[in-house]
Amino acid sequence: MIRKVRSHPTQNEDVIFERSSPGKIGYQLPPLDVPEVDPAAALGNEHVRASIDGFPEVSEVEVIRHFTRLSTWNYAIDLGLYPLGSCTMKYNPRINEAVARLEGLAWAHPYQPENLSQGAMEVCARLEEALCEITGLDAITLQPAAGAHGELTGILLVRAFLESQGNARRKVLVPDSAHGTNPATAATAGYAIHNIASNEHGMIDLAQLAAVVDEDVAALMVTNPNTLGVFEANIVKIAEILHAKGALVYMDGANMNALAGMARPGDFGVDVMHLNLHKTFSTPHGGGGPGGGPVAVRKHLEPFLPTPRLARSAGAFTWDYDRPQSIGRMRAYYGNFGVLVRALAYILAHGGPGLRNATVDAVLNANYLRHKLAPHFDLPYDGPNMHEVVFSDERQSAKGVRTGDIAKRLIDYGFHPYTVSFPLIVHGALMIEPTETESKQELDLFIDAMISIAKEIEQDPQMVLQSPHTTRTSRVDEVTAARKPILRWR
Amino acid sequence: MIRKVRSHPTQNEDVIFERSSPGKIGYQLPPLDVPEVDPAAALGNEHVRASIDGFPEVSEVEVIRHFTRLSTWNYAIDLGLYPLGSCTMKYNPRINEAVARLEGLAWAHPYQPENLSQGAMEVCARLEEALCEITGLDAITLQPAAGAHGELTGILLVRAFLESQGNARRKVLVPDSAHGTNPATAATAGYAIHNIASNEHGMIDLAQLAAVVDEDVAALMVTNPNTLGVFEANIVKIAEILHAKGALVYMDGANMNALAGMARPGDFGVDVMHLNLHKTFSTPHGGGGPGGGPVAVRKHLEPFLPTPRLARSAGAFTWDYDRPQSIGRMRAYYGNFGVLVRALAYILAHGGPGLRNATVDAVLNANYLRHKLAPHFDLPYDGPNMHEVVFSDERQSAKGVRTGDIAKRLIDYGFHPYTVSFPLIVHGALMIEPTETESKQELDLFIDAMISIAKEIEQDPQMVLQSPHTTRTSRVDEVTAARKPILRWR
Amino acid sequence: MRYLPKSDAERQEMLAACGLTSAEALFAQIPAEARLQRPLDLAAGISEYEIADYFKSLAVKNAGALPSFLGAGVYRHYRPVVVDAVVSRGEFLTSYTPYQSEISQGTLMTIFEFQTMICQLTGMDAANASMYDGSTAVPEAAMMAARITGRRGALVARSVHPEYREVLRTYARYQNLPVEEFGYDAQSGQIDFTDLDAKLNAEIACVILQSPNFFGIVEDARKAAELAHSKGALLIFTFSEAVSLGILEPPNADIVAGELQSFAISPSYGGPFAGVIATKEKFVRQLPGRLVGQTSDTNGNRAFCLTLATREQHIRREKSTSNICTNQALIALMATVFLELYGKQGLRELATQNLAKAHYLGSLTRPRFTGPYFNEFVARPPAEPAEVNRRLLDRSIVGGLPLERFYPELAGTMLLCATEMTKRADMDLVAEALA
Amino acid sequence: MRYLPKSDAERQEMLAACGLTSAEALFAQIPAEARLQRPLDLAAGISEYEIADYFKSLAVKNAGALPSFLGAGVYRHYRPVVVDAVVSRGEFLTSYTPYQSEISQGTLMTIFEFQTMICQLTGMDAANASMYDGSTAVPEAAMMAARITGRRGALVARSVHPEYREVLRTYARYQNLPVEEFGYDAQSGQIDFTDLDAKLNAEIACVILQSPNFFGIVEDARKAAELAHSKGALLIFTFSEAVSLGILEPPNADIVAGELQSFAISPSYGGPFAGVIATKEKFVRQLPGRLVGQTSDTNGNRAFCLTLATREQHIRREKSTSNICTNQALIALMATVFLELYGKQGLRELATQNLAKAHYLGSLTRPRFTGPYFNEFVARPPAEPAEVNRRLLDRSIVGGLPLERFYPELAGTMLLCATEMTKRADMDLVAEALA
Ligand SMILES: Cc1ncc(COP(=O)(O)O)c(C=O)c1O
Ligand SMILES: Cc1ncc(COP(=O)(O)O)c(C=O)c1O
């Protein structure tokens, strides 16, 4: 029985181009206070375009309605639990949005003189300090725009460091449970990928690892806790094995929400890692971005960090461009500054003890879900879990219902689905991460829904296979979308 | 066939007290930077309360979700046409919200020294000037908080003026088409109400009026255009009749959206009137308020306006409290200032020509609806209309379907209903005011919906009587609500 | 124009559909002598950018941003950003009065929660959905008392906000509600019970007092209630500093008519604020304004709707309990969000902090009255209050309110307020200036 | 803590349900040597009020509010309030990547509109859903060109944003994509076609140019395209001042990789911005990043979904076209709202105003180059640029960017930008300082 939602009318809305009619306007500019200039004369006829074919012409009220209506077609954290495994969809505090819009921050130009930028630079400095303390590492760059960008930065750091040692090496080891960005990144950095299989506990197998680590290995990219939500219990030994051969340990920090305040990668052998500010540190996902992917390193990698580096001189902040060993720039300017502001606001709100409490609640929520759902769904790895838990659809698939179908049915129950079919090492994975900002009431409703769906699958699998049944848009034909791509309106 | 909406799940949500659990918090205060004080010691034990029984205890994320979820149960202008007759539900520009929140305006204290309030006072001054020009009257007070408050102010002005002439008189004339606030106001001001019936054109009958106007009549409260959307064509003569007997003409300006830039009450004999800033001047209704009800008057009523009056001295604005003939204060401070800011922003955005164009579109939209719907619904007064049009359910009631039922069925079609059963002189009224901020596309969808409902009533009146069918809340039992009032949660 | 969603072609099409050829023709029904024969004498419309610029230029001319010790009915309390996040949602901001329950349940439920919390705070059984503000709620309450008791007279304490009393006089004037004032004790600043006792008689419908009163002093409302009741009058309790309800014992009044500005409503140069009237079960049908009630829909689901409308002008016209129609819904929603965010613990801690701040300042200056005060008090500066304020302004602090304007007998004194937003350092500066 | 929706009682209950007695036990799986044995060395959490105060104190240390003549890749354009009104809606702000189409149609349709408008602006057939920014879009485009042509070399104009070129070098370094630069004409400031021609050869996968280039000057993209194509290379067109697309003829490039900051995205000290890559039909399957496509649901309704995912890392892993995952969706949404608000007429008028403003300033100073410029140009001040800026700052104006830092040969010159927000009076002051 569905307790979380009821049906209600939501407004239809055309693609904006279909609302457009010639002459409608949604803007007004101030009167020009200088002489007009004829574009053709100033730029040359051949450079001046005709009017933009098909561009919309609508009024302000239509724009407000267009987006307000579209917004009602979305699910969001503000509406309820968003248990996407590996995505850490937690509450995005509103104060963070407010401070990021303060004129002095939002309108600061990256090239304005440093003596007029000290406030913005202090944001960077305080965030760097806090993140170094949280990761237990020595230095950090805030440049990377997201996790994958941080990964690339990190692997380039590894490469530059090893090069400085005389040999960049050829291989990067990636566990089969890793996120797709890990191998993609290593490849982009010019490394060959060597996949390593997880053991029956979903962890890296020490013996197997020892067997493959040699002087040709540049680094291991490990996610800890890994994508099964399992902490790599042997992480210290793992690091020793790599270090013994002069290889480095890169940690994908996407799952730091399980560790903040409890354990620090710098304390368990990690040389370099990225953080996802848009996960652990609550900056909003915004339908896919923006993010922030700071990369923290041990001292020996510091000289290679991207330019510029934030520095202090004569009591003032300054950007240091004189970094001979640096890998260079990873992007223009200094990073996704607006995201950094939000992340700092989040850290200040929680403080040290608060971050730890948040971690406890995140792990508590995930374990609570595991205990309540374990009787109904297959647990391929039934060891203790941290911030997320991964089930498989083994039992349900016996009835022909796959994880993707269970996900769609969850929508009818008023929830956003968990992460479907990842990690790849679990056949038919249901990857569930509640985060700490979910109440017991919300989790209990989710548990009821999952159990109810399990029962439905016993009784009427067909109904589940055709779900969702209550959404304004029923199941979408993704196959045709890929076969005959229509990527723009005409 | 319903083209405007489709069903989609909306989140359920408990009353906040049902989400509460002891110890959850949604706030944090800065540390106290002064010595603590024991309430009992400072205030006396008998004055200090025990904790507030039943008060909610929830976290910030739950508050955001609570209100976000509830908001999805509402219809709003931002979602579509809101054709409530007499309510002028037009687009509320977002810039008005932004400027009203500027720190210097939002945090101005009403008692801060005048030399620190010149900006706020300039807002009042410019708005006063603009509204005088728009109404064609000589002076104005911005104190009234809404239309009804303005009416009371206006009638008290009439009374004070007549008293100053030696006789406050006993009666106020109110057409039977008037809004309920008119008679209620006159009564509050201590006047007896004399209703006057409208003629077959929905207008005041000159002969009948002449017959009732005598030295006992203080004023006529006329709405122009009246609540049928009809302009009182004889308004000038009407004013002459009243003035001839020393009575005054009060105009209810709720319908100024039909006149702004086209005709000015001051030019057609009106002595005193109120405006609804939350109608004509686009300030948001916010689910019922706040509003603004400035009252404009002719010179001879100026001495009686509420204290304080905005004045200029030595190039600076000042509040003049020395108003011996004033009716006194209508409220604390100076008015709903935040609403005044929004109204001024709206006037500046349109400017003189723009206000006129808005009026044209408002009247055009209403006439377009009349022409398209006239074949399907009874038009009790089929003369030309201004900004709104009133149909009756005469044809549909033959099938047992009343205006209120048609309204509920409109909800299934994705529209907010029109005003139901007002004005009272139309039996089963459908009072429709589109405003100028509706596109032709939106009106055409509304017309289709109305015509389709008319057909449904022919074929299946029962279905319409049971509507709405698609809302998360079906028809609400208002009778029980009134019989056994439950006005608070327990 | 950007707010008008039409092209000229569409306008022509629609005119044609109306059988008209020109927009002018739409106004044919307005006789020439009633028509404006010239354009309005207002400048042409300006861009959003210019509008923003213009109001910024006005905003900086005001003192909004300075630390301030002004209270006197309008208080500076921190506004959690969640409040504006909620009221900025178009579904709340741009909806009308919830007459159509089936598509207004969101607004209706928030009002139901508001009414409930007002009852919990005031100890009353029922509260309405809001009034314009505290100053207009008081006369509406007095009119209500007159209807209930069948008596006409109102006795109002001089320690009630002076502007509230002015508004009461304006409203009462033509309803033959004779309003008389009774004094306060020159020592304590609390109401003078002997004066009240003397003025109470069988004509009196209600006794009106405010607590904390205009001097910031807590009144003995219970005692006043007993006295009023002993003479068959009702006690109307008003307040302008709602945060005090977090710590003060609710009065056993018959009608509570107060101002909620302290609940996350910005000072905004005096409005829009939100007033409210709450009362006992038995008087509910005499309440002015809107009421939301709980009921159910045809499927048996809990639902809410506006109720007891027979009290209101749109049904009862000249016999209604009040002429109020539009109220302050969105502002009341701000208060609702604020109260749910602060909750049981928060409101009490907030009140306690205000108490501590004001008493710190009080301990450094010399309060004029001996009565217990909440977050403001009357101080006796050594110099002229205006002069003291001028000195404070030089240190960019907005001082207190000189009281002579409202209380000639209190010439030379000023009302000083401190809230959780008042910083100790600023209070020390004020203390200096008053030393 | 206010962000944690649990009471301690609930925590105990949940621990018990997990068969645990302490929260500590939840972390038993972390070996002691990997555990942090002390509290984090970070201060305790602070209130929202203190957070607001703190960032305000930082904000006022920046120059954000002063009139400024800085451009150089980041432009000050007015941001209509509607933009933030839209992106502040929780349904857009707090949703994830729209993998679950049935409850993400809102986000999906806005991206589809974004992709369409980028195509209309650039004359390309397909655009992706966004890249991190312009500087990272360029190397991704170069890698794309290498995949398409099977060649490795990239030729980039020195008049491309210097930081974009730096990023290109970082990315290219380990993919054996040799990057060579070609010069600009010392007279016109446009690319030096002879140099380009000389460096073009059968190894070159792509020619990269920017227009308006870093000097604000419009390049002859068509001619460059012809030249590149004649040698079997692709033309990659980049831009950092997107408003110029309102008036400039779209290039017939093979790949467009640009920065959209000018579309209502605040300067925000350099980010977050939104990059985008657009290309021709035939190259679509080589695009990096997310793509939204139109399709239908099982009821035949139009619907949208993410598509061609086989290009992406979560499917293709090391063989994907890029490692990008999270992009700049919400920022791209800002651009989408902006473009729909300004529309066909608005974007053109905006571009024309920018042109007029910059040319007014140009007419008062002495542009260093003769090529046609859009809204910024290189000026030759009489004194040291740094000195000129110091003088301007005394009049609280932020001057232009001294170019020596990026172009030693242009020592003594500065880049000046004027947009629709630049006031004539301020330009006259700058002209004075440069006279
Ligand atoms: C485990 C893991 N690694 C890396 C990433 C990539 O991070 P981003 O999407 O910020 O590039 C993600 C995000 O989905 C992730 O879950
Ligand atoms: C014709 C008319 N008069 C008066 C009023 C009362 O105005 P308010 O609701 O602002 O008090 C209204 C509002 O509904 C109205 O439509």
Side-chain angles (χ1 to χ4, degrees), chain D residues 54-215:
Chain D
Y54 173 63
F55 283 97
K56 276 184 200 158
S57 73
L58 296 184
V60 295
K61 292 187 197 163
N62 294 331
L66 299 180
S68 162
F69 288 82
L70 287 169
V74 180
Y75 302 91
R76 296 171 66 91
H77 293 294
Y78 179 72
R79 300 184 65 235
V81 293
V82 169
V83 173
D84 277 351
V86 168
V87 302
S88 299
R89 288 201 40 102
E91 294 90 335
F92 287 126
L93 182 73
T94 74
S95 58
Y96 195 70
T97 309
Y99 289 121
Q100 294 290 341
S101 313
E102 297 81 2
I103 44 174
S104 308
Q105 287 294 308
T107 294
L108 287 162
M109 190 159 126
T110 63
I111 296 173
F112 185 73
E113 292 176 351
F114 170 83
Q115 293 175 176
T116 302
M117 289 189 289
I118 295 300
C119 291
Q120 292 166 334
L121 284 172
T122 60
M124 294 287 107
D125 304 319
N128 68 7
S130 77
M131 303 300 287
Y132 301 136
D133 69 355
S135 74
T136 54
V138 167
E140 293 271 8
M143 287 149 63
M144 185 177 161
R147 288 193 299 272
I148 292 168
T149 59
R151 301 176 175 188
R152 311 298 312 167
L155 283 179
V156 59
R158 279 196 75 232
S159 51
V160 167
H161 194 304
E163 296 197 4
Y164 288 22
R165 285 179 284 129
E166 285 181 53
V167 177
L168 175 63
R169 258 180 253 111
T170 310
Y171 271 68
R173 184 149 165 219
Y174 299 111
Q175 318 210 4
N176 64 75
L177 284 185
V179 174
E180 199 181 351
E181 300 191 339
F182 60 98
Y184 57 86
D185 179 277
Q187 267 286 312
S188 68
Q190 294 172 304
I191 57 174
D192 175 344
F193 278 99
T194 25
D195 190 26
L196 171 57
D197 196 18
K199 289 171 171 159
L200 259 173
N201 61 48
E203 303 301 300
I204 301 301
C206 59
V207 172
I208 306 172
L209 66 76
Q210 173 181 331
S211 180
N213 66 23
F214 192 68
F215 310 134

Side-chain angles (χ1 to χ4, degrees), chain B residues 86 146-148 151 179 181 223 227 252 254 274 276 278-279, chain C residues 96 325-326:
Chain B
S86 204
E151 292 174 35
H179 189 267
T181 49
T223 306
T227 59
D252 179 329
H274 80 264
N276 295 65
H278 45 302
K279 296 179 179 180
Chain C
Y96 195 71
C325 179
T326 290

